[in-house]
Amino acid sequence: MTGVIKRLFKKRGFGFIKAENGKEIFFHATGLQNIRFDLLKEGDLVEFNIVEGAKGLRAVDIKAKK
């Protein structure tokens, strides 16, 4: 899937991606692949996969899309 970084909580190491289908998906800094969390900005375009976590859906394998 593709989406846009919607919200970042830099001090806590997580954020939310607004997916192309309009849903907001949680992500943690550990789910990033080719980008560093501290370099992410709201509005950045990303590709990702979705998995079912203990607390619901979460984005993993997140990569910057150019």
Side-chain angles (χ1 to χ4, degrees), residues 15-54:
F16 292 88
I17 298 171
K18 184 170 186 176
E20 57 195 10
N21 63 7
K23 292 188 179 189
E24 282 191 32
I25 309 294
F26 170 85
F27 77 94
H28 190 268
T30 58
L32 298 174
Q33 292 294 314
N34 68 344
I35 50 176
R36 292 183 6 208
F37 184 76
D38 60 334
L39 297 179
L40 273 179
K41 300 180 304 294
E42 291 178 2
D44 284 353
L45 188 60
V46 293
E47 292 181 328
F48 59 95
N49 294 315
I50 297 176
V51 296
E52 182 73 37

